[in-house]
Amino acid sequence: MKKALLYFALGTVISFLINYFFYSSEDIKLDIFYALSFGFAWGIAYYLDSPDFTLPQKLGLSFAAMAALVLIGTLVFTLELAIPAILKFSTVFVAYYLIASFRGNKSLRN
């Protein structure tokens, strides 16, 4: 769990710094929200990368996390601004498992 929180924190900080310095959005709250969704994806992907979770559990938890991002994004911003957070989340989630698939043990944890 500690490493999942570390992945979350590092993903959030790195994403925020890249967005802030290279894309310079007008809305700092939106940059923070997108950075949190990016870090959240890395943390959840790492946390679920375990034989303790079945594939349906992994899918269900990842969809629940995406639904939470949509709900929070819609409440704070608008649905149109919440959708890119889902795209960032799903892209990172797929990238994590793509990278893991190239390993012999099919996990980035080992």
Side-chain angles (χ1 to χ4, degrees):
M1 185 68 162
K2 288 181 187 179
K3 271 192 156 178
L5 290 173
L6 180 66
Y7 271 60
F8 165 72
L10 286 175
T12 300
V13 169
I14 290 170
S15 176
F16 176 76
L17 292 175
I18 289 171
N19 285 335
Y20 185 75
F21 289 115
F22 294 112
Y23 297 121
S24 65
S25 170
E26 302 294 320
D27 191 359
I28 193 82
K29 290 191 312 185
L30 190 60
D31 286 342
I32 292 171
F33 178 66
Y34 289 157
L36 285 171
S37 69
F38 189 84
F40 190 50
W42 278 112
I44 289 288
Y46 182 82
Y47 180 71
L48 293 177
D49 185 22
S50 167
D52 298 338
F53 295 101
T54 64
L55 184 59
Q57 287 175 325
K58 290 177 184 182
L59 289 172
L61 289 172
S62 66
F63 282 126
M66 286 190 283
L69 284 173
V70 169
L71 181 65
I72 293 168
T74 303
L75 292 175
V76 176
F77 305 106
T78 62
L79 182 61
E80 291 81 19
L81 294 175
I83 297 300
I86 304 278
L87 297 174
K88 288 178 187 292
F89 182 94
S90 59
T91 301
V92 168
F93 208 82
V94 169
Y96 181 93
Y97 283 102
L98 179 67
I99 293 167
S101 72
F102 287 115
R103 295 184 51 105
N105 57 10
K106 303 295 185 214
S107 174
L108 290 180
R109 286 190 158 193
N110 299 326

